[in-house]
Amino acid sequence: MTERIDSLVARGEIYKFLALAYSQPEQVLLAKDSLKQAKQAFDAIEKNLLSRELKELETLFDDSNNSLNLAIEYTRLFRGPVKADVYPYESMYVDGEIMGKSTMDTVQRYTEAGVQVSGEFKDLPDHICAEMEFMGFLCAQELAAWQQDNQDEAKRFQLIGDSFVRDHLSKWVSRFSDLILEHANTPYYLNLARITRGFTAREASTICAQTIA
């Protein structure tokens, strides 16, 4: 049980960091505050996991000239003057359109977990930030349930989280990350894409192994 709790703490920190790291440029610097915890979390999951990429991100956050470059790159990659190079929405990869069936299923999963998309969030519910934040929430809820010795509730949140990784994140985040690596010009998004792809692939692999066992 201690191992599960430690894993939930670490995974929660990583999902929190990823949600912040893909935010609007003016909010991205908030991710700097969670990067230290994320680095420790990655190390707790697997020694030196993605350490080079995380160290590079840390250096970039310390570059005071990086904010303008991030704003330009964010717009070009995820918004575009006409169309985005990389759409940050699951439905574009799974359904080939905005607000497809996968978006509706994402909302249903949020509701199942007792979550509603905040009115302050001015984007679609299957945005990369929303899905990463949702996974961080599930880790926190499962952790709290185990700490309260509420096994039924803990297992419920575990099942929701496992199925969300399997049915959603694993279906599109790898392709999303690959497109960033193909189109990005700045080290920030290149390293972030490698971290995202590596972590989500590990999550899917771990959940699959647990299911088989």
Side-chain angles (χ1 to χ4, degrees):
M1 184 53 60
T2 300
E3 183 178 351
R4 179 67 185 176
I5 288 175
D6 290 344
S7 172
L8 287 167
V9 171
R11 292 170 61 228
E13 289 291 347
I14 294 168
Y15 278 119
K16 175 184 175 182
F17 166 73
L18 290 174
L20 289 170
Y22 283 106
S23 298
Q24 297 276 352
E26 61 270 22
Q27 298 174 310
V28 161
L29 290 180
L30 295 173
K32 179 181 179 181
D33 297 331
S34 70
L35 179 56
K36 182 178 180 180
Q37 287 77 17
K39 287 176 65 180
Q40 294 173 345
F42 273 106
D43 216 28
I45 289 175
E46 182 179 325
K47 195 70 175 175
N48 295 321
L49 178 64
L50 298 163
S51 59
R52 181 177 64 82
E53 290 83 358
L54 289 160
K55 185 176 181 180
E56 177 72 13
L57 274 186
E58 192 170 40
T59 302
L60 293 169
F61 277 129
D62 291 334
D63 181 358
S64 59
N65 297 317
N66 200 40
S67 297
L68 178 59
N69 292 335
L70 280 184
I72 295 171
E73 184 78 331
Y74 179 93
T75 300
R76 185 182 67 81
L77 282 174
F78 305 123
R79 300 297 183 191
V82 179
K83 59 176 291 187
D85 286 330
V86 185
Y87 285 98
Y89 309 110
E90 177 185 348
S91 59
M92 285 299 293
Y93 301 86
V94 177
D95 306 311
E97 62 180 355
I98 295 293
M99 291 294 288
K101 291 182 179 179
S102 63
T103 310
M104 300 301 102
D105 189 69
T106 296
V107 173
Q108 183 176 336
R109 303 296 178 102
Y110 294 168
T111 302
E112 179 185 354
V115 173
Q116 288 186 334
V117 178
S118 170
E120 297 179 1
F121 185 71
K122 305 301 182 182
D123 219 315
L124 301 180
D126 62 341
H127 190 283
I128 185 70
C129 291
E131 294 200 2
M132 292 296 175
E133 187 171 348
F134 178 58
M135 283 301 302
F137 167 82
L138 294 177
C139 288
Q141 293 300 110
E142 184 189 340
L143 174 63
W146 284 122
Q147 290 173 333
Q148 296 165 12
D149 198 27
N150 189 338
Q151 296 187 21
D152 290 342
E153 191 72 349
K155 290 177 180 177
R156 184 174 78 88
F157 280 110
Q158 180 180 353
L159 287 173
I160 294 172
D162 288 355
S163 66
F164 195 79
V165 170
R166 184 176 59 250
D167 300 338
H168 287 275
L169 296 185
S170 67
K171 297 291 181 63
W172 75 283
V173 173
S174 177
R175 178 60 179 152
F176 166 77
S177 302
D178 286 345
L179 283 175
I180 294 176
L181 292 172
E182 180 180 338
H183 292 284
N185 294 325
T186 59
Y188 175 85
Y189 285 112
L190 290 169
N191 282 285
L192 182 58
R194 295 185 185 105
I195 291 167
T196 305
R197 183 176 62 180
F199 174 65
T200 53
R202 192 182 190 283
E203 284 281 275
S205 176
T206 301
I207 289 168
C208 179
Q210 291 172 344
T211 301
I212 293 172

